[in-house]
Amino acid sequence: MRRVDQAPAHRLAEVKGDRRGGTPGALSAPDERPLLLNLRMGKHARSARRGFGGLMIINQVLTVVRTEGAAGLLARAGSRILKPRAKSFRALRERLVGKRALEIGGPSAPFQARGIFPTYPILATVDNCNFASRTIWEGEIDAGASFRFDPARPAGRQYIAEATALPEIAGGSYDVVLSCHTIEHTANPLKALQEWRRVLQDDGLLVLIVPHKDGTFDHRRPVTSLGHLMEDFDRNTDEDDTTHVLEILRLHDLRRDPGGTTAEAFAQRSAANLEIRALHHHVFDTALVEAMVRRAGFRPLAVEARRPYHILLVAEKNGEADTSTEPMRFASPFRSDR
């Protein structure tokens, strides 16, 4: 459940620190067949990951130069260096201090000390859920006390499970659920949110970061409707769903793909998505993220869209989807939100 954008040092984007979660991460990767071979052999996974990370960074720089020019590259570099915090963080910080958290996917750069929503330094513990014990993003993942979200902090517990089914975790076990650039890789987002809500205590918090279509390779695709997400939930859609593959192959913008992949390699990866988990099943703008979270029974406390491609939403678990109280809102930089 990690995502490429979540990898620590080799994550290309500030997010990414985002990675996969019950589903994988946000950015697509180049041809993974050599890496998958290494993983199956159980050899060289870590070194392959480091090499892959370096290639991803180079390809991301080239992609930005191609699509946004030198000015865009400088703006992106400045945002990485300054990494301004989300405006909502200060208002919600005290509700996170000393709490027990479960992250779906990750570890994620936006939650690190210099990230846009730096929760790791103030949380008491952070456990993790990843969809497999071997992934192209992390190599080998061991269940147990092995989740390293901060080199200066004790490791959290690592679960190996789908984001939509966490049977090892009792209801009400956590104060906070974190997820960064993961839910778009989940075929059934409402089912995932229902399960994350179950493991939260009453009044627990969900901190959700989702890629905005305008800033990603999804910009040509239509925003998914809430009705479609509800249909996926009613049908109990599973991770082997291929409903959106033809649309993805037709509209995915390879020029914005930091993996620098070819159309042929991308098609091969798409066909193996159940194993790789790199596709974005659904496409989000800010309104859809808020509507989806409300539908799942959360009350949004803050909704904040941020460049280069983040939708940040913090919500509270409550008995019913409360629409009487408006969350903190901030002007979106994305055209399709206006």
Side-chain angles (χ1 to χ4, degrees):
M1 297 171 206
R2 279 195 168 224
R3 294 166 303 240
V4 69
D5 23 10
Q6 288 183 294
H10 52 278
R11 298 197 184 128
L12 17 133
E14 90 186 308
V15 177
K16 253 90 160 70
D18 330 21
R19 283 187 185 208
R20 298 151 299 235
T23 13
L27 302 177
S28 297
D31 191 346
E32 297 93 345
R33 285 172 293 178
L35 291 180
L36 286 172
L37 179 61
N38 280 337
L39 293 178
R40 290 174 183 137
M41 295 173 64
K43 297 178 180 179
H44 313 305
R46 298 293 179 182
S47 61
R49 179 161 61 101
R50 286 194 293 270
F52 170 69
L55 177 63
M56 291 290 287
I57 292 171
I58 292 170
N59 283 329
Q60 188 187 39
V61 170
L62 294 176
T63 298
V64 173
V65 171
R66 261 197 324 268
T67 59
E68 302 178 30
L73 179 63
L74 290 174
R76 293 281 189 113
S79 69
R80 298 294 186 275
I81 294 170
L82 297 175
K83 287 188 171 69
R85 289 181 178 175
K87 296 175 182 178
S88 56
F89 179 72
R90 178 177 294 182
L92 296 169
R93 183 182 184 279
E94 290 306 310
R95 293 200 58 175
L96 298 162
V97 173
K99 302 299 185 180
R100 298 166 298 155
L102 173 69
E103 182 171 9
I104 310 296
S108 306
F111 299 141
Q112 294 171 353
R114 296 183 61 210
I116 62 170
F117 207 84
T119 55
Y120 289 162
I122 60 175
L123 291 165
T125 60
V126 182
D127 295 338
N128 183 259
C129 178
N130 203 308
F131 76 98
S133 57
R134 287 182 181 180
T135 77
I136 62 170
W137 314 107
E138 298 306 316
E140 297 279 351
I141 299 174
D142 297 321
S146 64
F147 179 61
R148 304 298 306 190
F149 63 97
D150 184 329
R153 304 282 300 282
R157 179 172 178 179
Q158 179 70 63
Y159 296 95
I160 306 298
E162 293 285 1
T164 53
L166 307 171
E168 292 185 66
I169 304 175
S173 295
Y174 292 97
D175 305 301
V176 181
V177 168
L178 306 172
S179 177
C180 182
H181 287 240
T182 293
I183 203 163
E184 67 277 12
H185 299 274
T186 304
N188 197 334
L190 287 173
K191 183 178 180 180
L193 288 169
Q194 180 186 64
E195 185 70 343
W196 303 355
R197 187 176 183 276
R198 180 187 67 80
V199 303
L200 277 173
Q201 289 192 345
D202 292 342
D203 299 325
L205 294 183
L206 169 70
V207 181
L208 180 66
I209 301 179
V210 182
H212 195 292
K213 64 163 285 183
D214 288 6
T216 73
F217 44 63
D218 288 328
H219 68 100
R220 295 170 175 167
R221 295 175 62 193
V223 174
T224 305
S225 69
L226 179 62
H228 177 85
L229 300 184
M230 293 166 62
E231 288 176 4
D232 281 337
F233 180 80
D234 292 340
R235 295 171 181 169
N236 198 27
T237 298
D238 207 349
E239 296 306 323
D240 59 358
D241 183 56
T242 59
T243 299
H244 303 283
V245 170
L246 290 179
E247 176 190 283
I248 292 169
L249 293 176
R250 182 167 51 90
L251 298 177
H252 182 93
D253 189 349
L254 289 173
R255 297 173 305 166
R256 292 194 182 186
D257 191 327
T261 189
T262 65
E264 180 183 4
F266 181 69
Q268 291 172 345
R269 183 168 68 253
S270 300
N273 190 63
L274 182 61
E275 181 177 17
I276 296 172
R277 306 295 180 90
L279 293 184
H280 290 188
H281 284 275
H282 303 108
V283 180
F284 295 89
D285 62 8
T286 305
L288 176 62
V289 174
E290 181 175 350
M292 173 181 70
V293 167
R294 287 187 185 277
R295 180 71 187 183
F298 290 90
R299 181 172 71 91
L301 302 177
V303 181
E304 185 171 355
R306 298 181 60 86
R307 292 194 183 277
Y309 39 60
H310 305 304
I311 303 167
L312 167 66
L313 187 144
V314 182
E316 180 181 60
K317 174 182 176 179
N318 60 343
E320 298 179 357
D322 182 3
T323 59
S324 62
T325 305
E326 279 293 302
M328 289 182 283
R329 296 185 188 278
F330 304 88
S332 172
F334 300 115
R335 181 174 299 177
S336 65
D337 283 341
R338 298 168 192 162

